[in-house]
Amino acid sequence: MYTTSTIPQSEHFPLKQEILNKAEQIIIESAKLTGNLNIHIINAIKENLRTINSYYSNKIESEGTHPIDIERAMKNQFSQDDKKKSMQQLSLVHIEVQKYLETTIVIGVCGLYQFIII
């Protein structure tokens, strides 16, 4: 099991308690927002965020694929241009990987720290 702290710190760079308290408050407030939403709304937000994440992943890794082209690819409406089609397919892969990770990775919380268990 591997864990990664959300807030890195070391003896050379200790975090002030004030910052830790603010981080904890953000986590609490975020949970309150999510807890009040209908599951259908949460799923719709996740779906949109997958497209957004794919767009930015493509943009970082290469030339990028416009969100409209990503949505077209999701409907199997690929471009006739080979390069653009390849980018659309890469976007779909990013989305599928994110879906896989959402169902595979467990996110644990221990006190103020959030970590990922693989």
Side-chain angles (χ1 to χ4, degrees):
M1 173 181 3
Y2 301 99
T3 60
T4 304
S5 174
T6 319
I7 306 172
Q9 61 180 325
S10 71
E11 62 185 54
H12 301 293
F13 301 102
L15 291 174
K16 295 180 182 178
Q17 188 61 42
E18 177 185 358
I19 292 173
L20 293 173
N21 291 343
K22 287 182 180 184
E24 181 180 33
Q25 194 59 40
I26 289 171
I27 292 168
I28 291 168
E29 294 301 321
S30 173
K32 286 180 188 177
L33 286 173
T34 306
N36 291 330
L37 293 177
N38 179 299
I39 190 66
H40 299 293
I41 293 172
I42 292 171
N43 289 336
I45 291 170
K46 282 183 181 181
E47 193 68 32
N48 283 327
L49 285 175
R50 287 185 200 116
T51 302
I52 293 166
N53 290 341
S54 176
Y55 166 74
Y56 282 109
S57 292
N58 266 351
K59 192 170 180 101
I60 290 167
E61 293 175 8
S62 57
E63 297 172 17
T65 304
H66 195 279
I68 290 173
D69 293 321
I70 296 170
E71 291 194 14
R72 287 180 181 146
M74 293 170 75
K75 297 175 184 174
N76 286 327
Q77 299 172 356
F78 294 98
S79 173
Q80 297 299 314
D81 178 84
D82 288 339
K83 185 174 182 180
K84 197 171 184 179
K85 180 179 180 180
S86 177
M87 297 305 295
Q88 286 177 301
Q89 291 169 331
L90 180 60
S91 294
L92 294 181
V93 171
H94 284 142
I95 291 169
E96 289 305 312
V97 168
Q98 184 168 344
K99 285 180 183 178
Y100 172 78
L101 291 174
E102 288 171 5
T103 61
T104 306
I105 293 179
V106 175
I107 298 178
V109 178
C110 178
L112 294 175
Y113 302 99
Q114 185 178 32
F115 54 89
I116 297 174
I117 303 169
I118 299 176

